[in-house]
């Protein structure tokens, strides 16, 4: 009887050790690839990768449907960067994730109906222009222009949010609004605008970094 009981204890200890080792392997498994257009296993109330992908797709389709931006006989020159894209929300976010994706997708999808100016790289451009004019380098294959290209429109935007918490359950809810506007850089008129809304609830939020 004692031997049987001892055997059962040993078997239980072995089973526990095996389960603990398996759990450790699961916790230490390598990185898992995730489709950035789909919600991942770690998600919260804020703007996430799948939101940025969906938002960019919607804004690109809407801008391409605007005749002034995409239907002119001469393609307009547009600046899309984060310089005039503000964040008033409670979430820390790299705004370049939004504006860079918009610019890249719009540049590809417009197929020459819009042209884009790299104003964020103005210092780099001026440095190269100076080298050409000083004779340090040749003029390249496209020659020199009288001045750098001026822009017709610039994308501006703002991220804002409001949130609430139920003190009884700890449930949190956050509403986030991202507004986009294309501003005429000569007249100041808003040629195009749209917004993207996110509202989520959870018992707790993740930490965004």
């Amino acid at each position: 009887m004692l031997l049987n009981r001892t055997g059962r204890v040993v078997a239980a200890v072995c089973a526990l050790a095996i389960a603990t080792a398996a759990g450790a392997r699961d916790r230490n498994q390598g990185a898992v690839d995730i489709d950035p257009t789909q919600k991942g296993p770690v998600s919260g109330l804020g703007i996430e990768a799948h939101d940025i992908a969906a938002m960019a797709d919607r804004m690109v389709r809407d801008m391409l449907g605007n005749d002034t931006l995409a239907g002119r006989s001469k393609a307009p020159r547009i600046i899309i960067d984060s310089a005039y894209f503000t964040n008033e929300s409670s979430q820390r976010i790299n705004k370049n994730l939004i504006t860079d994706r918009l610019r890249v997708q719009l540049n590809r999808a417009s197929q020459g109906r819009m042209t884009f100016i790299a104003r964020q790289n103005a210092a780099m451009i001026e440095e190269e222009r100076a080298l050409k004019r000083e004779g340090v380098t040749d003029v390249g294959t496209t020659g020199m222009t009288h001045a750098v290209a001026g822009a017709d429109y610039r994308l501006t935007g703002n991220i804002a949010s409001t949130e609430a918490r139920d003190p009884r359950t700890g449930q949190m809810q956050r509403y986030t609004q991202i507004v986009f506007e294309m501003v005429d850089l000569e007249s100041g008129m808003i040629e195009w605008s749209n917004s993207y809304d996110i509202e989520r609830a959870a018992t707790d939020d993740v930490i965004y970094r």
Side-chain angles (χ1 to χ4, degrees):
M1 179 68 70
L2 179 61
L3 290 176
N4 289 340
R5 184 179 302 170
T6 302
R8 287 196 298 270
V9 171
V10 170
V13 171
C14 291
L16 178 61
I18 292 171
T20 301
R25 286 196 300 272
D26 290 341
R27 288 193 298 272
N28 295 327
Q29 66 181 351
V32 178
D33 290 335
I34 299 170
D35 183 351
T37 64
Q38 303 296 320
K39 181 177 289 189
V42 179
S43 61
L45 302 178
I47 303 170
E48 299 177 349
H50 65 282
D51 296 313
I52 294 174
M55 185 184 344
D57 288 343
R58 183 186 299 180
M59 296 303 119
V60 166
R61 289 195 302 269
D62 199 43
M63 278 189 268
L64 290 177
N66 183 291
D67 288 339
T68 302
L69 295 178
R72 290 171 43 175
S73 58
K74 187 172 184 179
R77 298 172 179 175
I78 299 173
I79 301 172
I80 297 181
D81 58 25
S82 62
Y84 292 90
F85 206 89
T86 55
N87 180 18
E88 297 177 346
S89 73
S90 57
Q91 178 186 348
R92 292 178 57 188
I93 186 168
N94 185 339
K95 298 175 294 182
N96 290 327
L97 290 172
I98 298 174
T99 55
D100 286 356
R101 187 179 182 102
L102 267 176
R103 184 180 62 253
V104 170
Q105 285 193 214
L106 196 57
N107 195 9
R108 293 180 61 184
S110 65
Q111 297 182 336
R113 288 181 287 168
M114 303 177 188
T115 56
F116 299 87
I117 294 178
R119 191 57 52 81
Q120 71 274 21
N121 297 320
M124 174 190 72
I125 296 165
E126 286 298 334
E127 180 181 356
E128 185 63 22
R129 284 170 59 85
L131 291 175
K132 292 176 181 178
R133 283 151 182 78
E134 292 167 5
V136 177
T137 67
D138 63 26
V139 299
T141 60
T142 58
M144 294 189 292
T145 60
H146 175 68
V148 295
D152 301 306
Y153 302 100
R154 185 165 202 158
L155 183 75
T156 67
N158 184 57
I159 307 169
S161 66
T162 182
E163 55 190 54
R165 178 192 292 270
D166 188 331
R168 296 172 301 171
T169 63
Q171 184 96 350
M172 294 179 60
Q173 182 170 317
R174 180 182 299 166
Y175 169 68
T176 303
Q177 181 184 69
I178 305 99
V179 172
F180 301 89
E181 294 181 331
M182 195 70 76
V183 179
D184 187 314
L185 293 175
E186 190 66 30
S187 68
M189 299 288 289
I190 298 174
E191 183 57 47
W192 167 90
S193 63
N194 204 341
S195 65
Y196 190 87
D197 301 326
I198 302 168
E199 188 159 18
R200 295 195 175 105
T203 53
D204 198 7
D205 197 14
V206 301
I207 298 174
Y208 292 94
R209 296 178 179 175

